Amino acid sequence: MYLLLPGRHHLLTRYQKEYLLRLVNMGLSEELDVFGNPLQISKHPSAIIFAVTSANHNNTRRNPLPLYQRAMMIQDFSKELNIPSFVIPIDDIGQSPNFASYTIKKIEVETELMLKLTPENTIVLCSTPVANLYLELGFKVLPVEKVPGSADSFLAKLPWEELESIVLKQKESKQNLDPACIRLWKDYGLFEKVDMLFSDSLIGDDGDLTESRDYNTYVREMDEIAELKFQETVPFLRPGRIGDIGCAVGSWIKLVCQDPKYTESDFYGVEIARHLYQLCEQRKENGEFQNPNVFFLRKNAVSGLVYPRLSMNAIHTSSLTHEIESYGDRSQLLAFIKNRFEELVYGGVWINRDVVGPEDKEKEVYVWMEEDSSTNQGFGPEKFPSFKDYLESLSTKERFFQFQQDFRKEQGYVLRTTSILVDGIEYHCMKLKDICEYISKKDYTDNWKSEMHESFCFWSFNEWKEQLESIGFKISPNSRAYRNEWLVKNRYEGKIKLFLPRIPNPKQTADLIPFDFPVTHMLMLAEK
């Protein structure tokens, strides 16, 4: 008779060990199932199958340990059970009513049909609502930590509750762990790792910066601009150990690998978003990188070093630093900058390509916005198939009011404007940085909710230089702030006009001076 113990198995408890030993040594006949009824099965357990769910996820709060560490711990834990134990990886398929049947089929496949689990030869051990999925398939279920026949009474904490106790540093947090668990967690520094994961406000439970991003759109955009990033940055790249932090799907690394000057270089891509990291690994497996020395790491570059100190000749980041400021806070951005300085060798360079705020960003400007393109007819979002359709029905002016309502709302930001008539034409008076935030985001209707978190104009180019130099960087004279002329021609002109007043409280159009759209991006070359 097989015992099937499904779970994420990031830690194992003393209670689990005692429970399994009782089943192995005393048999199953007197054990009470989830309904409180005796199993009345005379057979003794012949093997234990640990179905390790979310096996393809790691380095997140929900799934801190990689599969190999969980498997090592389970094998160490199982030595005392004196029957065979099998560790079977079950990849994540999300919330699915077919999860139990998928697990059974996956076990068959992974063991090449050696283990074919049925209600006749298998007892499931489960204390969570997942038990209901196995009951529907006809399996008998033992409740393990749960009181037999009870809806919500437990004899011991569930493993996930024990992990939370560790995070909260409760007094009994480690005494309930099995010795095999404690050995692995100590040897691999997992207590410290879990503490870091749970204390990091920047990353969500599944290891992503934002839960509202459409990754299909995002990945396509990253691939489309990879050539531009490459051409702009490669003249300043140093051969040797080259890192790309926030590498998305590895497009920039792929292009650099094709340059003969970097044949002898090693590349280290870092990506925290699980979906993007998996695509990097898939691309590597497909042989898309000409240089074999390409490695991808799933690490958080904000909370600590991702490369050893004094090890990197060049570090590249693109469209990343503004996300750290936006989803984290200023202290995390400063920590990120300091970490990059520590990682570079003397003479190394950090190439940071990102959006940037205008100089004099606090000055007030008069803004005209077109309003003839509206097809909305006064309807709210609920009248449209999607929020994207609603946004695209709005004129530039109407969409601005939606932006004013949504922009960094969760952070408590208030975008203040004043409506002013000059020669009968309506202008909106606001800070230069606020209209720059709007025009940089107004066309991203696919990812509107994600974009509303992001601040582009927190620092100007000169403010960036001051911050970097205060840490010890020397700024190359090749660094520059610039305006993306494609954006100006295709997204700004005809939609927005900026003016400065010649006199206070202008009354005539002649009292307004046209003001050019300011810089949008920067290429910052910070040398150590």
Side-chain angles (χ1 to χ4, degrees):
M1 181 65 65
Y2 297 126
L3 300 178
L4 172 60
L5 182 56
R8 283 177 281 165
H9 300 307
H10 293 286
L11 55 73
L12 298 166
T13 66
R14 291 180 182 273
Y15 179 84
Q16 287 175 312
K17 173 70 72 58
E18 293 167 1
Y19 186 86
L20 291 171
L21 282 171
R22 187 176 79 227
L23 299 184
V24 170
N25 296 328
M26 305 299 294
L28 302 169
S29 61
E30 300 301 317
E31 290 295 325
L32 302 181
D33 65 15
V34 289
F35 303 110
N37 302 319
L39 279 183
Q40 296 182 335
I41 294 176
S42 58
K43 294 179 181 178
H44 273 57
S46 58
I48 301 176
I49 295 97
F50 291 85
V52 181
T53 58
S54 295
N56 55 328
H57 294 178
N58 71 90
N59 207 38
T60 68
R61 285 197 282 268
R62 203 185 306 276
N63 292 294
L65 275 63
L67 172 64
Y68 81 91
Q69 289 179 341
R70 290 184 257 176
M72 291 166 59
M73 179 172 54
I74 291 168
Q75 292 295 352
D76 190 9
F77 171 89
S78 302
K79 289 177 182 176
E80 296 178 44
L81 300 178
N82 296 319
I83 60 173
S85 65
F86 299 90
V87 179
I88 310 298
I90 310 295
D91 50 320
D92 183 72
I93 61 170
Q95 297 290 332
S96 170
N98 300 317
F99 185 69
S101 59
Y102 175 82
T103 299
I104 298 300
K105 293 173 184 175
K106 181 72 169 174
I107 291 170
E108 287 185 27
V109 171
E110 289 290 333
T111 63
E112 298 181 349
L113 304 183
M114 182 180 74
L115 295 176
K116 186 173 178 62
L117 308 187
T118 67
E120 289 71 36
N121 67 9
T122 302
I123 304 297
V124 177
L125 312 181
C126 186
S127 301
T128 70
V130 173
N132 295 324
L133 301 179
Y134 289 96
L135 290 170
E136 291 172 4
L137 296 178
F139 287 91
K140 292 185 177 181
V141 178
L142 291 178
V144 197
E145 292 90 359
K146 205 170 186 180
V147 175
S150 168
D152 54 10
S153 297
F154 290 81
L155 298 167
K157 284 184 177 181
L158 296 173
W160 185 250
E161 293 173 324
E162 295 289 2
L163 193 148
E164 289 178 331
S165 295
I166 292 171
V167 172
L168 297 173
K169 296 180 171 59
Q170 294 177 351
K171 191 173 182 180
E172 74 284 3
S173 61
K174 297 180 184 178
Q175 68 186 27
N176 297 330
L177 305 185
D178 185 78
C181 176
I182 293 175
R183 281 193 291 272
L184 182 100
W185 277 56
K186 282 185 176 179
D187 289 349
Y188 284 84
L190 299 179
F191 290 107
E192 294 78 10
K193 176 180 180 177
V194 166
D195 185 60
M196 179 274 291
L197 288 172
F198 276 78
S199 64
D200 188 348
S201 61
L202 189 65
I203 304 300
D205 286 349
D206 282 320
D208 289 340
L209 283 171
T210 171
E211 297 177 0
S212 57
R213 173 169 287 158
D214 177 352
Y215 276 114
N216 289 328
T217 302
Y218 184 74
V219 169
R220 184 170 64 251
E221 290 172 350
M222 290 302 100
D223 269 345
E224 286 172 353
I225 66 172
E227 181 68 30
L228 171 63
K229 291 184 196 176
F230 171 73
Q231 295 296 341
E232 190 172 30
T233 57
V234 75
F236 312 107
L237 198 56
R238 313 276 165 84
R241 288 169 60 92
I242 299 172
D244 186 13
I245 299 177
C247 66
V249 292
S251 305
W252 182 84
I253 291 178
K254 181 179 177 180
L255 290 173
V256 180
C257 283
Q258 296 169 4
D259 191 318
K261 288 185 292 187
Y262 302 102
T263 301
E264 300 299 323
S265 294
D266 295 339
F267 296 88
Y268 298 87
V270 174
E271 180 55 61
I272 188 62
R274 172 176 52 82
H275 183 80
L276 300 181
Y277 172 77
Q278 290 171 340
L279 288 173
C280 288
E281 291 288 1
Q282 185 62 55
R283 281 184 154 184
K284 182 178 178 181
E285 188 174 323
N286 293 344
E288 294 186 33
F289 301 97
Q290 287 188 14
N291 188 325
N293 294 321
V294 173
F295 309 95
F296 291 104
L297 313 169
R298 188 159 183 235
K299 286 188 173 185
N300 182 353
V302 176
S303 53
L305 302 178
V306 292
Y307 310 118
R309 282 183 172 83
L310 297 169
S311 68
M312 304 303 292
N313 299 95
I315 296 173
H316 169 258
T317 55
S318 183
S319 303
L320 175 64
T321 47
H322 78 270
E323 292 200 340
I324 297 169
E325 169 79 13
S326 301
Y327 292 101
D329 56 38
R330 182 60 52 80
S331 65
Q332 290 174 308
L333 177 59
L334 294 173
F336 180 88
I337 295 171
K338 182 68 163 59
N339 289 336
R340 306 296 75 80
F341 184 81
E342 294 290 329
E343 291 164 351
L344 287 170
V345 300
Y346 290 102
V349 61
W350 172 25
I351 303 173
N352 184 24
R353 181 186 181 277
D354 208 343
V355 291
V356 72
E359 306 294 342
D360 299 324
K361 59 181 181 287
E362 299 295 328
K363 82 163 88 177
E364 290 200 332
V365 293
Y366 283 64
V367 182
W368 171 88
M369 291 176 271
E370 71 81 22
E371 51 188 319
D372 295 333
S373 63
S374 175
T375 59
N376 180 266
Q377 300 181 336
F379 292 123
E382 66 280 355
K383 295 293 186 179
F384 291 83
S386 69
F387 197 69
K388 171 183 168 67
D389 291 319
Y390 162 68
L391 290 170
E392 293 183 349
S393 76
L394 303 176
S395 68
T396 305
K397 182 186 285 189
E398 290 171 330
R399 200 178 297 179
F400 172 78
F401 295 132
Q402 184 68 48
F403 175 85
Q404 186 178 29
Q405 175 183 317
D406 295 344
F407 180 60
R408 294 186 69 75
K409 180 180 179 180
E410 293 180 12
Q411 289 76 24
Y413 189 81
V414 178
L415 198 166
R416 302 186 189 280
T417 64
T418 303
S419 175
I420 298 172
L421 289 177
V422 179
D423 273 348
I425 300 173
E426 185 179 34
Y427 297 85
H428 290 269
C429 186
M430 68 188 79
K431 291 182 178 180
L432 177 60
K433 67 178 182 181
D434 287 335
I435 189 60
C436 287
E437 293 284 10
Y438 173 56
I439 61 177
S440 66
K441 300 175 178 66
K442 67 182 180 66
D443 296 287
Y444 290 100
T445 55
D446 278 328
N447 284 314
W448 182 266
K449 291 182 180 179
S450 177
E451 292 292 332
M452 291 307 98
H453 288 283
E454 300 197 8
S455 174
F456 289 3
C457 300
F458 54 94
W459 280 341
S460 68
F461 182 75
N462 283 326
E463 287 171 330
W464 261 103
K465 287 177 65 176
E466 290 170 6
Q467 292 292 336
L468 291 167
E469 287 171 344
S470 71
I471 286 174
F473 280 111
K474 177 183 176 182
I475 306 306
S476 167
N478 291 311
S479 301
R480 61 192 176 95
Y482 60 95
R483 194 174 72 173
N484 185 320
E485 296 301 330
W486 184 93
L487 291 176
V488 173
K489 182 177 180 180
N490 292 277
R491 293 184 175 176
Y492 301 172
E493 289 180 352
K495 305 292 185 181
I496 303 278
K497 295 178 183 178
L498 306 181
F499 300 89
L500 292 176
R502 291 182 188 274
I503 59 173
N505 303 314
K507 301 298 182 184
Q508 300 178 6
T509 303
D511 295 333
L512 296 177
I513 305 170
F515 184 76
D516 278 346
F517 294 109
V519 296
T520 58
H521 292 76
M522 70 174 184
L523 178 66
M524 187 66 75
L525 308 171
E527 300 172 341
K528 180 173 177 178

